[in-house]
């Protein structure tokens, strides 16, 4: 865990729980860390670039957390620089719960999953909603011409902290593309075996 993340996540009440449960000493060294790791490194950037979806939590004006899954083509959540992410807000069910929440409270918590590799990255950030007319060059960077979705605005996220979770309890799951890639050599081997079998059957049997 980075110091930038623990500074935000370890509130006084969280710290009190850690003290009561005996885990506070193990986490105390984070408070002394000089490098806060509040900017993404190449490892996080590469991981984010491959994701085709993520879970996003926002907070409503009545204090309720709200989680929505955001999906799109791999890489639709872009790393603009080490402190900035952006994604196109596609037109969907037009409930605008996330947008409404973000208008009052700019904090988001993202969870990015790689089920196949059992990896999980959590990001805390602050959001600015950017309308198309405001920053046309940013909108152009986020357009996905091959994807059948209308982009309503850009969601710009300033990264405040991040944390990699341990792989425990992440059941490996595979996308259609990942399964296809794994199965392809098997398909080829099967086709080759079938061809050999056909060739064998085509040979006249001895004594016939
Ligand atoms: C026609 C239609 C298209 C949608 N397309 C997407 C999409 O491309 N990506 C996505 O994450 N959700 C999509 N959704 C699901 C949600 O509507 C969308 O995430 C929405 O923006 C959620 O907003 P909320 O913050 O009000 O929950 C779609 C829904 C509909 C009805």
């Amino acid at each position: 865990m980075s110091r930038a993340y623990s500074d935000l996540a370890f509130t006084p009440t969280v710290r009190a729980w850690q003290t009561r449960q005996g885990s506070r000493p193990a986490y105390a060294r984070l408070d002394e860390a000089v490098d806060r790791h509040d900017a993404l490194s190449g490892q996080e950037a590469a991981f984010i670039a491959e994701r085709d979806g993520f879970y996003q939590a926002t907070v409503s004006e009545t204090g309720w957390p709200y989680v929505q899954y955001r999906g799109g083509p791999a890489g639709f959540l872009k790393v603009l620089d080490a402190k900035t992410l952006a994604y196109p807000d596609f037109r969907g069910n037009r409930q605008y719960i996330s947008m409404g929440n973000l208008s009052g409270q700019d904090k988001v918590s993202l969870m990015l999953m790689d089920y196949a590799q059992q990896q999980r990255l959590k990001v805390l950030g602050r959001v600015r909603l950017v309308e198309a007319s405001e920053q046309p060059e940013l909108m152009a960077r986020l357009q996905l011409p091959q994807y059948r979705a209308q982009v309503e605005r850009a969601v710009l996220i300033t990264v405040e902290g991040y944390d990699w979770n341990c792989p425990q309890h992440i059941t490996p799951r595979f996308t259609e593309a990942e399964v296809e890639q794994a199965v392809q050599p098997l398909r080829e081997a099967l086709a080759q075996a079938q061809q050999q079998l056909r060739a064998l059957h085509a040979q006249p049997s001895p004594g016939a």
Side-chain angles (χ1 to χ4, degrees), residues 1-207:
M1 179 177 279
S2 69
R3 167 142 185 218
Y5 197 92
S6 67
D7 278 352
L8 297 173
F10 293 175
T11 61
T13 316
V14 171
R15 285 164 188 263
W17 264 89
Q18 292 171 356
T19 302
R20 280 200 302 277
Q21 298 294 315
S23 61
R24 182 88 282 271
Y27 288 116
R29 60 184 174 79
L30 280 170
D31 297 337
E32 313 301 328
V34 178
D35 190 343
R36 299 183 69 255
H37 289 287
D38 61 351
L40 304 169
S41 76
Q43 190 192 353
E44 287 79 36
F47 182 80
I48 293 167
E50 287 178 9
R51 303 280 63 80
D52 60 6
F54 57 92
Y55 302 93
Q56 172 184 268
T58 55
V59 188
S60 80
E61 67 220 86
T62 47
W64 283 97
Y66 175 74
V67 181
Q68 176 61 281
Y69 177 78
R70 292 291 168 137
F76 81 105
L77 175 64
K78 289 206 159 39
V79 181
L80 300 185
D81 60 51
K83 287 285 292 175
T84 318
L85 301 174
Y87 71 88
D89 181 30
F90 303 125
R91 173 168 293 189
N93 57 15
R94 309 192 79 193
Q95 291 180 2
Y96 300 108
I97 302 174
S98 303
M99 295 307 124
N101 289 351
L102 288 168
S103 302
Q105 171 65 269
D106 67 356
K107 293 173 180 143
V108 278
S109 180
L110 309 183
M111 184 173 279
L112 293 88
M113 303 295 302
D114 181 344
Y115 289 101
Q117 301 298 320
Q118 294 177 287
Q119 287 185 309
R120 175 173 52 193
L121 177 66
K122 296 187 296 191
V123 178
L124 291 175
R126 287 182 180 271
V127 162
R128 193 161 80 79
L129 303 176
V130 180
E131 295 302 323
S133 55
E134 272 182 77
Q135 287 193 40
E137 67 293 343
L138 173 63
M139 295 305 284
R141 275 186 83 175
L142 298 180
Q143 288 297 338
L144 300 156
Q146 318 295 346
Y147 193 59
R148 278 163 51 103
Q150 193 182 330
V151 179
E152 291 196 329
R153 64 192 56 76
V155 179
L156 205 58
I157 303 169
T158 302
V159 174
E160 298 284 341
Y162 62 86
D163 182 35
W164 288 95
N165 271 178
C166 84
Q168 213 182 353
H169 306 302
I170 302 177
T171 305
R173 298 177 211 277
F174 302 89
T175 63
E176 211 175 346
E178 285 162 345
V179 170
E180 189 54 44
Q181 199 182 10
V183 160
Q184 189 53 29
L186 303 178
R187 279 197 218 284
E188 284 165 13
L190 183 66
Q192 208 175 10
Q194 284 172 328
Q195 201 178 9
Q196 285 167 353
L197 205 61
R198 275 196 295 272
L200 218 64
H201 281 306
Q203 280 176 11
S205 53

